Amino acid sequence: MQNAASSAVVVAGWHRMSYAFPNNQSFISKELEKNIRKIHAIAKNAITHGKYIIFGTGSTQLLHAAVHALSMDNNYSTEVVANKIPYYSLYKLQTEYFQTRHYEFGGDSSMLKNNSDFAGNVIEFVTSPNNPDGKLESPVLNGPNVKHIYDHAYYWSHYTAIPAPADEDLMIFSMSKLTGHAGSRFGWAIVKDVNVYTRMMEFISLAEMGTSKDVQLRALTLLKVVAQGDGKQLFNFAQHVLTYRWEKLSHIFSLTKRFSLQTIPTRYCTFFERTREPSPAYAWVKCKRKEDKNCHEVFRVAKIIGRSSRRFYAGDRYVRFSLVTGQHDFDMLIHRLKELVSQEYEASAQAMSSF
């Protein structure tokens, strides 16, 4: 909102009508690619030198394009697994929906790690920071038959400390988590291997004839605004807001024995050049009472809507709350959490007075 004019996009009705960009006959804007590399250099969260960049309709399309590309080397089906429970449901849903003879979903990686007889090919999704609990993760499976897709959608300094720039072979990022523009549906993959890059490009070309040029123009405009000055304005602003929200939430949950919040350690951040407090995108809340068997329902009764842990294949004892909402929604969340926690104290006081 502070950069409303410079971030606005106006496109003449006759402009950008062809499929490809005229200067290189490609579906990818070279100017946008250059600015993506610049943003990563500013953010210190990924190494792009010597690697290829692919655009997609959000990270969603790129995740599947990556599975397709990595599974094509194999003569028999590849097991696709998530790193750990809880994990982002799209990995399972999308892999199963588009399942072919080349790959199938195999649950979380522990199912293969505990199976000493398994010797097939594996693709492991490594989500770091993890959705929903915000923890930095590493691969569980390793070996010559294992390939990794690093979902780094939340690996920006407003959500997590950046211990070092990511330098994996296949990394995926999203505009929705960088600037909040989820509806623009723009993401990119950073790929080291030329054969994987070529297969992913073929997938995008056949599925969509490339990413919308209008979307690419908006993404370019937004990234130029982000990179203004020293390029730190957006990151400082977002980290300040999320740190404040996390502190507010942490204080409330410190007053209750009924619920608990995930623990995220302080870490040194190369972007801020200091040890910093947590500022995750989501709160991952556990219902601790034995009788609170459905945590999502417990909060729903209190008029607090979260996302059930069942959506993350983690049973019913947890619920996820978003901290990347508008200020009014966050204030309402805090208000209703305070009401719920105060009920716990009132019930305890009544029980004490009955003695």
Side-chain angles (χ1 to χ4, degrees), residues 108-244:
D108 68 286
S109 56
S110 67
M111 301 176 73
L112 296 183
K113 192 174 180 66
N114 296 330
N115 183 0
S116 58
D117 295 329
F118 184 81
N121 296 296
V122 181
I123 297 172
E124 180 185 0
F125 284 111
V126 182
T127 318
S128 186
N130 191 37
N131 176 9
D133 59 20
K135 295 180 180 180
L136 293 174
E137 298 288 0
S138 300
V140 172
L141 304 174
N142 289 286
N145 297 330
V146 180
K147 298 173 183 177
H148 300 103
I149 299 170
Y150 287 83
D151 185 347
H152 282 320
Y154 297 93
Y155 197 59
W156 299 97
S157 60
H158 33 309
Y159 302 117
T160 181
I162 307 295
D167 191 22
E168 293 91 19
D169 290 352
L170 203 167
M171 305 178 284
I172 294 177
F173 294 86
S174 170
M175 180 66 75
S176 68
K177 305 308 180 295
L178 169 57
T179 65
H181 292 80
S184 293
R185 306 306 305 132
F186 180 75
W188 61 93
I190 303 172
V191 182
K192 182 177 181 180
D193 185 86
V194 65
N195 294 320
V196 175
Y197 163 77
T198 301
R199 289 176 191 147
M200 289 183 70
M201 284 294 291
E202 288 174 350
F203 181 97
I204 300 296
S205 298
L206 290 172
E208 300 289 348
M209 286 288 285
T211 305
S212 164
K213 291 168 74 176
D214 293 337
V215 169
Q216 292 188 53
L217 175 61
R218 188 174 196 207
L220 174 60
T221 304
L222 293 169
L223 291 184
K224 284 184 174 180
V225 173
V226 173
Q228 286 177 164
D230 63 3
K232 295 183 177 181
Q233 182 184 7
L234 172 75
F235 300 110
N236 289 333
F237 170 79
Q239 191 265 344
H240 174 76
V241 171
L242 288 172
T243 299
Y244 169 78

Side-chain angles (χ1 to χ4, degrees), residues 286-342:
K286 182 180 182 179
C287 288
K288 297 167 70 176
R289 285 183 182 173
K290 187 176 181 180
E291 61 268 28
D292 290 339
K293 296 181 179 179
N294 188 325
C295 199
H296 179 263
E297 182 64 17
V298 168
F299 283 97
R300 191 195 66 79
V301 170
K303 298 182 179 179
I304 304 171
I305 304 301
R307 183 167 293 188
S308 170
S309 53
R310 186 171 291 186
R311 298 275 295 272
F312 302 93
Y313 309 100
D316 292 313
R317 281 287 177 180
Y318 294 83
V319 66
R320 191 196 79 173
F321 297 124
S322 176
L323 304 185
V324 286
T325 59
Q327 190 61 43
H328 173 76
D329 289 344
F330 178 75
D331 291 340
M332 185 62 70
L333 171 65
I334 293 298
H335 174 71
R336 291 186 175 169
L337 284 173
K338 285 181 177 179
E339 287 185 334
L340 181 60
V341 171
S342 68

